[in-house]
Structures are given as structure tokens and as C-alpha cells.
Amino acid sequence: MPVRLLTAGSEDIHLAHTLDVTNQGVQLGGYRGEMKVGDEIVIQYRRNQAQFRVIWITARENSSEKIIGAKCLEPGKQVWGELFPEQLDEYEEKE
């Protein structure tokens, strides 16, 4: 899903896209701006937005594109339009 990123202390808007989303966080691809671990960002999807904290960043080889992992600081907000069902870890033993 395409998203907009707003970084704290800047009015610049950056574009990215989701690679994976959960109720607690998101993995983003396609980001080309400057950011560091610990930065707080606002992610906007359609008309919904919430604050996140960057918890990891990986630079793609031979590209200026970065992949970002961010944790939601407002877990009650439904940025993606709905809450996702909690799923058991596939590696946990099922009863």
C-alpha cells in the first residue's frame, strides 16, 4: 500500500510502500530520504495517520532505497482501516 512519511522537525513528505503490516508495526520499502533508528515519524495511509518509531533500517544494495521497520506509538489507531486478527506464531506448538 502506498504511504506518506512525515519526519519530526521537517515539513518534507516522503513516499514509501508497505511490505508488511501488523497492529503493532510496519515494514516499509521504497524510502529514499534520511532517517535514523529512534526517529519518530508519522505514517499516513489515505486519510488515516499515526505516529511510529523507527526500530531498524536496512539499505538496499546498489540503491539509495531503504527498508524500514517501525513500531506504532498509537496502537489504538486503525491506520490501515481495520485491526488485524492476532495470529499464533507458526512455530509455536499448537494444543
Side-chain angles (χ1 to χ4, degrees):
M1 298 179 283
V3 296
R4 292 186 177 108
L5 303 178
L6 298 93
T7 55
S10 174
E11 294 183 15
D12 294 338
I13 296 174
H14 297 275
L15 301 177
H17 58 271
T18 59
L19 298 173
D20 191 17
V21 296
T22 68
N23 294 326
Q24 294 81 30
V26 64
Q27 182 179 359
L28 302 170
Y31 181 75
R32 297 184 185 274
E34 292 298 319
M35 191 176 298
K36 61 185 183 297
V37 171
D39 283 355
E40 289 189 15
I41 59 175
V42 173
I43 297 177
Q44 180 181 2
Y45 173 64
R46 296 184 180 169
R47 296 179 189 262
N48 302 322
Q49 64 182 28
Q51 290 191 327
F52 288 75
R53 177 172 290 120
V54 177
I55 54 173
W56 57 266
I57 301 172
T58 302
R60 295 200 47 157
E61 194 171 320
N62 299 324
S63 174
S64 61
E65 183 179 321
K66 296 175 183 80
I67 299 174
I68 298 169
K71 179 180 180 178
C72 186
L73 300 177
E74 301 178 275
K77 285 197 170 180
Q78 296 182 16
V79 178
W80 317 115
E82 62 184 66
L83 289 176
F84 299 105
E86 294 296 325
Q87 297 180 348
L88 290 175
D89 186 335
E90 65 185 60
Y91 299 106
E92 288 182 17
E93 189 173 319
K94 296 177 184 167
E95 295 181 27

